[in-house]
Amino acid sequence: DPQGRFALEWYIVMRGPATHRQRVTGTRDWDSVPHIVVTMSGRAAGYVAVGFANSSRMAPADVYIGWVDTAGAMYLTDRTTSVSYTLNGPDPVQNGEVLSAVQVGGWLNLTFRRELDTQDTLDQAISDTLMHVIWSMSNTVPPSPTSLPAIHEARGALQVNFFTAVQQASPTVNTDWVPAVLLAAFIVVILGLGVAFHVLPGTDTRKRVYDVVGQHFLLPLQPSMAHQAMMDFFPALFDLSLGEMFICCLWVAVLLLNLVVEA
């Protein structure tokens, strides 16, 4: 982290491949399993987390979240994030093992290990190539291993080759324009509906249009059955005043901005 809030250290232990029985039963013989030992250090009072992804979108990702509770007990949970960046529940098979965790001078230092290739479809295999790595931390201690705070205080991303220690910045995609575009589309739709269902069917409007372009070049602008049905079943939408439409637009804008910020 350029701001000095989070650090990631690791080393790789190469041994012979683990047997299928060791993976299934969980009786890993770590001396014979190729694995990585990772230390997460964050200026946080709650938890620290790291995730491995194979795409520049950073999701879905294989995530490991660790913390120390008020009694000093160490916790590590192996989870995934969805394409929409939602944190899923604990994986059925927990492939991370916490080795140590301590709070010192406002820093949480937690070390865990996992196999390079767990052969778990929910995990990302760690190989000799650049991987997308995400990290986050929170000042809120999770109340339980199954309940995590929804908000983190800091997060970041980079690309790392864990075998060669080569690092580079992760590509970023500027999506600040998305809410504006979606809001503009929403407003256009509302205005279009207002024109289609309130302005065009009116006799005075139809006459003025006919006077400009000629009656033979326009389709009849009488209210259709669809219009009547929609007016009957959705009066709250099509009878909105200008002020009410403005409030709706602001409400949708807030929702869109919230979605982008959470992503």
Side-chain angles (χ1 to χ4, degrees):
D1 174 32
Q3 300 181 36
R5 300 166 299 177
F6 185 90
L8 193 68
E9 299 177 273
W10 70 90
Y11 63 88
I12 291 177
V13 180
M14 297 300 296
R15 296 288 189 272
T19 65
H20 179 69
R21 177 181 176 277
Q22 288 172 328
R23 289 198 178 95
V24 170
T25 62
T27 57
R28 293 179 178 86
D29 177 9
W30 289 102
D31 289 335
S32 64
V33 177
H35 61 278
I36 185 171
V37 179
V38 178
T39 297
M40 300 180 286
S41 300
R43 193 177 296 165
Y47 69 75
V48 287
V50 65
F52 312 112
N54 60 2
S55 71
S56 59
R57 291 195 69 244
M58 303 300 170
D62 176 21
V63 179
Y64 296 84
I65 306 170
W67 68 94
V68 180
D69 67 10
T70 54
M74 304 180 300
Y75 293 91
L76 182 74
T77 178
D78 177 11
R79 301 185 176 218
T80 59
T81 58
S82 66
V83 176
S84 60
Y85 299 92
T86 301
L87 181 65
N88 298 320
D91 290 356
V93 178
Q94 293 290 294
N95 288 302
E97 179 182 3
V98 62
L99 300 177
S100 65
V102 61
Q103 281 275 5
V104 178
W107 283 80
L108 172 58
N109 303 305
L110 186 142
T111 300
F112 73 95
R113 61 185 173 185
R114 56 148 282 185
E115 293 182 45
L116 294 178
D117 185 0
T118 65
Q119 295 190 358
D120 187 334
T121 57
L122 296 177
D123 291 338
Q124 293 289 341
I126 298 175
S127 59
D128 188 2
T129 186
L130 282 173
M131 295 188 68
H132 295 276
V133 179
I134 56 178
W135 62 267
S136 67
M137 59 186 183
S138 172
N139 286 322
T140 303
V141 177
S144 72
T146 58
S147 178
L148 297 177
I151 302 298
H152 42 249
E153 274 69 28
R155 63 179 179 177
L158 73 161
Q159 294 184 80
V160 178
N161 184 321
F162 289 100
F163 282 76
T164 64
V166 172
Q167 304 177 36
Q168 66 183 48
S170 292
T172 58
V173 179
N174 186 358
T175 57
D176 293 343
W177 52 269
V178 173
V181 171
L182 294 179
L183 178 58
F186 176 78
I187 293 175
V188 169
V189 170
I190 290 294
L191 292 177
L193 290 173
V195 171
F197 294 119
H198 291 291
V199 177
L200 292 181
T203 304
D204 293 339
T205 301
R206 186 170 65 252
K207 184 178 184 303
R208 288 196 297 269
V209 174
Y210 286 165
D211 291 341
V212 174
V213 300
Q215 182 173 356
H216 298 292
F217 294 95
L218 289 177
L219 295 174
L221 296 176
Q222 296 295 335
S224 64
M225 293 180 61
H227 163 249
Q228 294 293 349
M230 296 182 79
M231 289 293 290
D232 291 339
F233 289 99
F234 304 105
L237 175 60
F238 297 106
D239 286 340
L240 291 178
S241 66
L242 184 60
E244 291 168 336
M245 285 187 181
F246 179 71
I247 294 299
C248 286
C249 290
L250 288 179
W251 178 68
V252 173
V254 170
L255 290 179
L256 296 176
L257 286 171
N258 182 66
L259 290 175
V260 172
V261 170
E262 287 298 321

